[in-house]
């Protein structure tokens, strides 16, 4: 997976000159491409960059504890898990979808990279996925953008709208995408609003030149600037299942 990602870095780097001037003009979200998956990944958010941060050994203990705590609290009050766990097997096998649903080729145009992960979803996670998909439609990033957004949130927060986690937070990352208010993503209230957070993510994604032609992990990493740039790829198949079923 690392080799596949590395070959895309020159193309990503070429986009810098195009979107940095636009970022500089942004008044409400300075450095809109600087973010890290703190609660899940333990990464650090820096200034705008299109170069992936170095890979480190893995999430720190505090990050793991934070997501476990958040997940446990959410599940205590959750109803039965949704059906969005394994996806639509018949659609995956045939590559077809109903007339009003995106096809697998539209959702995963470049194929998945590396081993895939999958988690069961409860009602709260499904509601947050719906908010991301709604924002994808309204910001015109389409089905592929929705897959990138859902996969990114699966990695950053497991689709939970995490508030500030106290001692388990690195810096101030919060919400579905672990966006940092101090890096210009918005106020704590804004980045923990699923609609606002998703729109902010997609606005940043649209500033990545050629994002539709990049592998998911490259597109997501260019926005997120995570210390674990290859982690997003593992959620592509489940994200596609979720988008196909909820679109």
């Amino acid at each position: 997976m690392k080799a596949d990602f590395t070959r895309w870095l020159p193309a990503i780097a070429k986009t810098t000159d195009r979107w940095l001037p636009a970022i500089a003009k942004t008044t409400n979200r300075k450095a809109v491409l600087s973010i890290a998956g703190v609660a899940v990944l333990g990464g650090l958010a820096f200034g705008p960059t299109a170069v992936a941060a170095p890979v480190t050994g893995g999430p720190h203990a505090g990050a793991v504890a934070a997501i476990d705590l958040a997940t446990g609290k959410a599940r205590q009050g959750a109803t039965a898990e949704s059906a969005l766990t394994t996806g639509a097997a018949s659609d995956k096998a045939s590559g077809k979808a109903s007339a009003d649903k995106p096809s697998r080729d539209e959702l995963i145009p470049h194929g998945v990279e590396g081993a895939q992960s999958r988690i069961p979803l409860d009602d709260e996670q499904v509601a947050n996925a719906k908010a991301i998909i709604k924002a994808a439609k309204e910001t015109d990033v389409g089905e592929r953008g929705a897959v990138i957004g859902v996969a990114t949130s699966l990695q950053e927060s497991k689709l939970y709208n995490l508030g500030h986690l106290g001692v388990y937070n690195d810096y101030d990352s919060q919400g579905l995408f672990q966006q940092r208010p101090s890096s210009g993503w918005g106020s704590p209230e804004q980045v923990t609003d699923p609609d606002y957070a998703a729109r902010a993510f997609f606005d940043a994604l649209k500033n990545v030149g050629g994002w539709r032609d990049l592998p998911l992990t490259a597109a997501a990493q260019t926005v997120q600037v995570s210390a674990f740039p290859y982690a997003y790829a593992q959620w592509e198949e489940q994200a596609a299942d979720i988008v196909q079923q909820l679109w």
Side-chain angles (χ1 to χ4, degrees):
M1 188 186 303
K2 181 175 180 180
D4 291 337
F5 180 83
T6 302
R7 64 188 174 90
W8 287 94
L9 289 181
I12 298 171
K14 289 180 182 178
T15 67
T16 304
D17 292 338
R18 273 182 284 175
W19 47 256
L20 283 183
I23 296 169
K25 295 179 182 178
T26 303
T27 57
N28 292 328
R29 302 188 197 100
K30 296 177 183 177
V32 294
L33 297 184
S34 61
I35 180 175
V38 175
V40 181
L41 300 179
L44 300 175
F46 300 102
T49 178
V51 179
V55 180
T56 56
H60 60 67
V64 174
I67 193 65
D68 286 348
L69 178 63
T71 301
K73 285 184 176 179
R75 289 190 181 281
Q76 287 176 12
T79 58
E81 289 176 356
S82 79
L84 295 176
T85 301
T86 58
S90 59
D91 285 347
K92 275 193 285 186
S94 65
K96 298 178 181 179
S98 60
D100 61 339
K101 301 291 185 181
S103 69
R104 299 297 289 183
D105 287 341
E106 291 172 313
L107 296 168
I108 310 179
H110 312 300
V112 298
E113 294 184 284
Q116 296 294 292
S117 297
R118 192 172 288 272
I119 59 171
L121 304 182
D122 61 25
D123 291 344
E124 180 180 351
Q125 291 164 298
V126 172
N128 288 329
K130 288 180 178 178
I132 293 171
I133 294 168
K134 178 175 179 288
K137 293 179 178 180
E138 294 174 348
T139 56
D140 296 321
V141 296
E143 300 94 333
R144 180 58 179 168
V147 171
I148 295 171
V150 171
T152 300
S153 185
L154 277 167
Q155 174 59 26
E156 298 288 7
S157 67
K158 298 300 181 290
L159 282 172
Y160 285 111
N161 189 23
L162 301 175
H164 199 287
L165 297 170
V167 297
Y168 294 126
N169 265 89
D170 280 347
Y171 301 93
D172 56 341
S173 299
Q174 299 179 54
L176 292 175
F177 295 91
Q178 290 296 280
Q179 293 158 327
R180 289 184 60 188
S182 64
S183 292
W185 282 93
S187 68
E189 292 77 17
Q190 287 174 319
V191 300
T192 51
D193 177 284
D195 179 68
Y196 176 94
R199 286 174 175 272
F201 176 84
F202 291 131
D203 285 345
L205 180 65
K206 289 193 292 185
N207 280 324
V208 178
W211 65 267
R212 294 180 186 275
D213 298 321
L214 295 175
L216 182 147
T217 196
Q221 170 62 9
T222 306
V223 176
Q224 300 296 86
V225 196
S226 167
F228 303 88
Y230 313 116
Y232 303 105
Q234 67 183 306
W235 302 105
E236 185 161 9
E237 190 165 280
Q238 184 172 18
D241 290 342
I242 293 169
V243 172
Q244 189 170 57
Q245 293 176 59
L246 296 179
W247 189 258

